[in-house]
Amino acid sequence: MPSYPGFCGPSYASQSPLARPERCMNFYPERLEVDEYQQVVLYPTPGLETFSESTAGPCRGLFAQNGRCFVVMANTLYEMNSAGTFTSLGTVAGDKNPATFATNGDGGDELFVTSGNEGYLYNLTTGVFSNPVSDVTMGGMLDGYFVALDQATSTFKISDLLDGTTWQSTQILQRNAAPDTWQAMLVKNPIVFLFGSETTEAIYNAGSAPFPFAPDRNVIIPFGIAAPFSAQTIGTQALWLTETKDGSRQVVSMTGYNTERVSTHAVEFALSNYENVDDAVAYTYQDQGHLFYTINFPSANATWVYDLSMGMWHERGQWNADAMEYEVWGPEYHAYAFDKHLVGDPCNGLIYNMSTNVFTDVDGNGLRRQRIPPILQSEQTRIFLDRFQLHVDVGIGLQGATRDAASPPVVTSSDQGYDPQIMLQLSRDGGITWGSERWRSAGKMGEYLHRAQWWRLGSGRNLLPSVTMTDPVPWRILDAYINVKGGAH
């Protein structure tokens, strides 16, 4: 059931619902590196627990380096320590865009922050806070120079070397290699990439005077950007949601100057149905050997994740029980600090610890996870599904307890996770309509011989099972087994 290379997608995966109606929600695939078969299993995506909260919220950016962590909440720049305590450093302007951060190392010992189209400088030694530059949408650092892009005028600006307090008005570069204006900037050492709506340029430190940076005239990358804050780096690669003169809404990855499409047709079909994508925001992180590119679509209410290590996509989302659908997942900003993956919520002042050892969502309930595999069919003859067994880790129930001052803790069956349940639904028409849920236990704590099985599931020509879990336990899907019988045409 979990082993389908290249794609673990949504139930609306393609224009034909019968072609490949898969979904992998709040699970990520991992290849077992222990035998020649390299089996792929599904592991639970990380959950969230509150690390800190600011009443100033919402979070607009997170950054960590050299043991220090900084966050922009609404109109204030803070430093946050390992206990989650905030110290205000200065007031910043606000807008709908994320804040960006960069430092210039030991040589300058300065933190450069862009927010609300203004550039702010915090001296990491003296604590002096200033606003040395305006008209900057996003910033970065290369070779000791702070660099910034003014999206409105398609202007690239630089500070003096190791001095973010000085931005000379003559130290600018404007686009002339192509007609599409610069929309975004990404620093991927030793290059600054400036993205237009149709093409991308590479800027490098040429060591010239009086302006040291110059475009590489031998390189025009034929992919622009559809969402300015979707561009991120991880490892040796840069990824972004692209747009070109020929069309829009693919995700591409670039190593060096070599760019390739990594989104699948299924993902692109989903993106094509979103009314708006220019407000998409991405972040990257590495965990347990996986490199994840996570992109949130606030207007479309969806979150997609590309696992570079596996070359596969999956979805993440928060379950809306009233609307009976998944919505965009909470985190939008990431920083690895204090040995934790800290993420910020753009809707409030919460900073979460995102961990694979946590199984709850932003509301404190268990993450709702779902897996829909390919259709079960045999040349469109009627098949009878006698048995379905989901091979999962069993005996994983939590030892829930209610605490009473007059008595020791007592285990109760009402605690979520005490007897974790798997909900199976079956569609007989390839996922267009669904039958009622049939629940099975995955085993209370210690029931390691338990099996999650369903019997006498009926017949059809396009049978499609869906398994869903909501208990806050470490769900791991290893495989699925079926007993079927063939029938008449």
Side-chain angles (χ1 to χ4, degrees):
M1 187 180 198
S3 306
Y4 303 104
F7 177 64
C8 290
S11 55
Y12 46 84
S14 62
Q15 295 183 14
S16 169
L18 298 180
R20 195 156 188 173
E22 294 186 56
R23 179 165 231 179
C24 189
M25 174 63 75
N26 293 327
F27 281 109
Y28 70 92
E30 179 170 293
R31 184 172 290 107
L32 300 180
E33 300 171 329
V34 293
D35 56 45
E36 60 180 311
Y37 298 108
Q38 297 283 290
Q39 178 185 357
V40 175
V41 300
L42 296 178
Y43 286 155
T45 56
L48 304 172
E49 61 182 1
T50 300
F51 176 78
S52 186
E53 182 175 9
S54 168
T55 57
C59 181
R60 297 183 48 242
L62 266 175
F63 176 78
Q65 202 164 72
N66 298 328
R68 302 178 72 174
C69 185
F70 301 91
V71 56
V72 169
M73 290 285 188
N75 297 93
T76 305
L77 171 66
Y78 294 96
E79 181 166 0
M80 182 175 64
N81 66 17
S82 59
T85 302
F86 293 95
T87 300
S88 175
L89 305 180
T91 300
V92 300
D95 60 13
K96 65 178 182 179
N97 290 329
T100 70
F101 305 79
T103 65
N104 55 7
D106 291 340
D109 209 27
E110 298 168 326
L111 173 70
F112 177 53
V113 179
T114 68
S115 178
N117 217 37
E118 296 288 330
Y120 301 92
L121 199 72
Y122 177 71
N123 189 295
L124 295 167
T125 301
T126 66
V128 173
F129 180 80
S130 59
N131 178 196
V133 63
S134 297
D135 301 321
V136 287
T137 311
M138 54 188 69
M141 190 280 292
L142 183 64
D143 294 345
Y145 296 92
F146 285 127
V147 296
L149 173 68
D150 178 11
Q151 186 186 75
T153 62
S154 192
T155 303
F156 174 71
K157 305 179 179 183
I158 68 169
S159 73
D160 279 4
L161 181 62
L162 298 176
D163 179 11
T165 64
T166 305
W167 296 73
Q168 299 180 44
S169 60
T170 58
Q171 296 292 82
I172 63 171
L173 181 68
Q174 288 191 294
R175 186 164 210 197
N176 56 30
D180 53 316
T181 58
W182 289 327
Q183 301 293 309
M185 180 186 76
L186 182 69
V187 177
K188 184 174 179 289
N189 195 24
I191 302 295
V192 179
F193 290 100
L194 292 167
F195 301 85
S197 58
E198 298 178 356
T199 61
T200 297
E201 261 184 284
I203 309 295
Y204 71 106
N205 185 353
S208 52
F211 190 78
F213 289 86
D216 187 337
R217 295 300 184 189
N218 296 315
V219 178
I220 291 290
I221 299 164
F223 295 92
I225 197 164
F229 288 91
S230 68
Q232 293 288 341
T233 64
I234 186 167
T236 61
Q237 299 182 53
L239 298 98
W240 69 95
L241 181 66
T242 190
E243 183 173 25
T244 73
K245 66 179 181 60
D246 301 311
S248 182
R249 304 189 182 183
Q250 292 182 322
V251 177
V252 295
S253 171
M254 180 171 61
T255 303
Y257 291 148
N258 297 317
T259 305
E260 63 178 359
R261 162 184 173 262
V262 295
S263 52
T264 64
H265 294 304
V267 172
E268 290 155 7
F269 178 71
L271 298 180
S272 72
N273 283 279
Y274 296 161
E275 185 175 343
N276 179 43
V277 298
D278 62 7
D279 60 349
V281 177
Y283 64 91
T284 55
Y285 73 100
Q286 180 276 131
D287 193 23
Q288 301 185 58
H290 292 261
L291 303 176
F292 294 110
Y293 171 79
T294 304
I295 181 166
N296 279 3
F297 295 89
S299 295
N301 223 2
T303 300
W304 286 92
V305 182
Y306 180 61
D307 183 347
L308 284 72
S309 308
M310 292 291 295
M312 292 184 181
W313 288 86
H314 64 271
E315 294 178 275
R316 300 187 189 180
Q318 181 181 4
W319 180 250
N320 184 327
D322 294 329
M324 295 294 289
E325 64 182 13
Y326 287 98
E327 297 181 340
V328 63
W329 203 42
E332 196 161 280
Y333 310 105
H334 171 269
Y336 188 69
F338 319 123
D339 295 322
K340 293 179 172 62
H341 290 285
L342 300 181
V343 289
D345 195 317
C347 298
N348 52 51
L350 284 167
I351 303 295
Y352 302 103
N353 172 31
M354 181 176 68
S355 171
T356 53
N357 295 318
V358 177
F359 311 109
T360 50
D361 207 344
V362 294
D363 56 7
N365 295 321
L367 269 167
R368 183 183 177 96
R369 309 180 191 275
Q370 183 182 34
R371 173 61 175 148
I372 302 176
I375 290 174
L376 304 175
Q377 59 93 15
S378 178
E379 298 180 349
Q380 287 299 289
T381 60
R382 182 173 294 276
I383 59 174
F384 294 82
L385 184 54
D386 290 342
R387 181 182 73 103
F388 178 89
Q389 178 179 336
L390 189 67
H391 186 191
V392 295
D393 283 3
V394 294
I396 56 175
L398 304 178
Q399 188 165 340
T402 55
R403 298 188 178 275
D404 190 309
S407 63
V410 178
V411 175
T412 68
S413 59
S414 63
D415 294 323
Q416 190 185 30
Y418 167 74
D419 186 11
Q421 300 290 310
I422 304 169
M423 295 162 276
L424 173 71
Q425 283 185 285
L426 191 67
S427 172
R428 304 180 197 283
D429 50 25
I432 299 173
T433 61
W434 294 90
S436 58
E437 291 179 347
R438 297 176 63 175
W439 292 35
R440 292 292 184 273
S441 171
K444 300 173 186 177
M445 179 181 287
E447 294 181 350
Y448 301 125
L449 299 180
H450 183 85
R451 289 193 293 173
Q453 299 182 93
W454 292 259
W455 297 86
R456 302 178 65 182
L457 293 168
S459 66
R461 291 184 175 85
N462 295 290
L463 296 179
L464 185 63
S466 167
V467 290
T468 304
M469 306 86 159
T470 61
D471 288 270
V473 297
W475 294 105
R476 304 179 186 97
I477 300 179
L478 307 179
D479 216 326
Y481 310 111
I482 58 174
N483 287 9
V484 296
K485 295 177 182 177
H489 287 271

